[in-house]
Amino acid sequence: MQAAFCRGAGNLVLDDVTRPTPGAGEVVVRVRNCGICGSDLHWYHDEMMIPAVCPGHEIAGEVAEVGTGVTSLKAGDPVALEGIASCGRCRYCLTGEYQRCLKVRVVGMTIPGGFAEYVKMPARHCFRVPAGVAFATAALSEPLGVAVHGVRLGGLEIGQRVAVLGAGTIGLMAVVAARAGGAGEVIVVARRPQQKAAALALGADRVVDDGDPGGLGGDAVDAPIDLVVETVGGTADTLDTAVAACRPGGTICILGAFTRAPTFPALFVLAKELRLIGSFVYGRAGARADFDIGLDLLARQGKHIAETVITHRIPLAEIAQGFRTAADKTTGAIKVTIEA
């Protein structure tokens, strides 16, 4: 089979590798779509560790082969994959907080990912895709699951005001998650025209240009912002903006992957008694996994979400062009999905 590898900053190549075979409790999935994530662009630009394995973690496809002991899935089932593989046995895994597993592996970073024709995963991290949801849409369950998890950890209550910093895919999915979670108002800080339009289309009440942080500050004066969701990361100084905007006693949830230590206004965090929460990926709250909730939202709203967010569909054979497109926002790119 063919799989992509990064051989250096900005250098994606395809290699022929052996198709994986499933072990006990595992499945092999024929990849149909794998989205390019903002974190992928970090290593693409040499801002974080380049994966030694095939990258890609926003994966949807169909089960090609099942290993021994797998009864929940069968060949041909459409599935979406979580981007982590936990041990399944520790106290965190057994309580549903498997994202905190001390032996967790990251798909596309420490174990082979989805920019390939096939990928192997533990069956417990594969979720059946609802009928009528296309593979490209189903692959959005990964960033949507991240957003659902972050909003859940942020303790959003009905009617609260939410500010989302950044309008890449995670930021846009945070708008969807906040609306589903009962936000009374959602304000988005965005940079690109396509991001601003997408945020409004997905339910944001208003968009503030990221060149005008005072615009968000004005909102914070007029009415309190209860929850700030940071989705930019990288080298941005967004924690300054988040702390300034959040009301006293409010919450900041950090979803963005920072590639350097950000400026941290600790004195104002102290004075305003803010609650800062880091949110890694997704897990399970009671009977429902964050991925379950995300796929349920896609079953109801997926067509609209996909039409709004997915701007480019590029075959695996042209993955290098796919990354160039995703990295250049002047192309109008939001979500570039690789079709295998």
Side-chain angles (χ1 to χ4, degrees), residues 25-275:
E26 296 178 332
V27 298
V28 170
V29 174
R30 174 67 170 95
V31 178
R32 295 302 182 186
N33 280 89
C34 186
I36 297 177
C37 176
S39 62
D40 293 326
L41 295 178
H42 287 321
W43 55 253
Y44 180 73
H45 291 302
D46 203 21
E47 296 170 352
M48 61 187 297
M49 181 182 71
I50 293 175
V53 298
C54 172
H57 57 273
E58 298 181 2
I59 309 167
E62 56 200 11
V63 175
E65 190 177 356
V66 301
T68 59
V70 176
T71 58
S72 58
L73 296 169
K74 65 182 186 303
D77 283 346
V79 289
L81 280 57
E82 290 183 314
I84 55 172
S86 61
C87 77
R89 298 180 300 275
C90 69
R91 63 175 181 172
Y92 299 109
C93 290
L94 294 177
T95 58
E97 295 178 331
Y98 45 84
Q99 78 280 5
R100 299 177 182 173
C101 174
L102 298 181
K103 296 181 179 180
V104 70
R105 295 166 292 165
V106 180
V107 176
M109 186 59 70
T110 62
I111 59 174
F115 294 135
E117 294 180 283
Y118 293 89
V119 66
K120 179 175 71 172
M121 278 289 289
R124 65 180 176 276
H125 290 292
C126 300
F127 291 75
R128 197 186 306 273
V129 174
V133 176
F135 287 120
T137 304
L140 293 173
S141 59
E142 199 282 335
L144 183 52
V146 169
V148 167
H149 186 69
V151 169
R152 177 166 67 79
L153 288 185
L156 177 65
E157 297 178 6
I158 293 174
Q160 287 190 328
R161 300 184 84 227
V162 177
V164 178
L165 307 186
T169 304
I170 296 294
L172 295 173
M173 294 302 100
V175 173
V176 174
R179 279 298 182 207
E185 186 176 9
V186 180
I187 303 163
V188 176
V189 178
R191 175 175 299 179
R192 303 288 179 179
Q194 68 269 26
Q195 295 172 335
K196 296 174 182 178
L200 293 171
L202 291 176
D205 294 282
R206 195 159 61 80
V207 176
V208 176
D209 191 281
D210 79 336
D212 180 25
L216 183 61
D219 274 275
V221 171
D222 294 337
I225 293 176
D226 302 285
L227 172 63
V228 179
V229 182
E230 196 289 325
T231 74
V232 181
T235 60
D237 290 328
T238 43
L239 290 188
D240 278 333
T241 302
V243 170
C246 196
R247 68 166 172 82
T251 300
I252 298 169
C253 183
I254 302 172
L255 298 183
F258 285 93
T259 56
R260 67 163 174 80
T263 303
F264 183 69
L267 180 60
F268 292 101
V269 172
L270 179 152
K272 296 176 79 171
E273 296 190 338
L274 299 179
R275 182 169 172 251

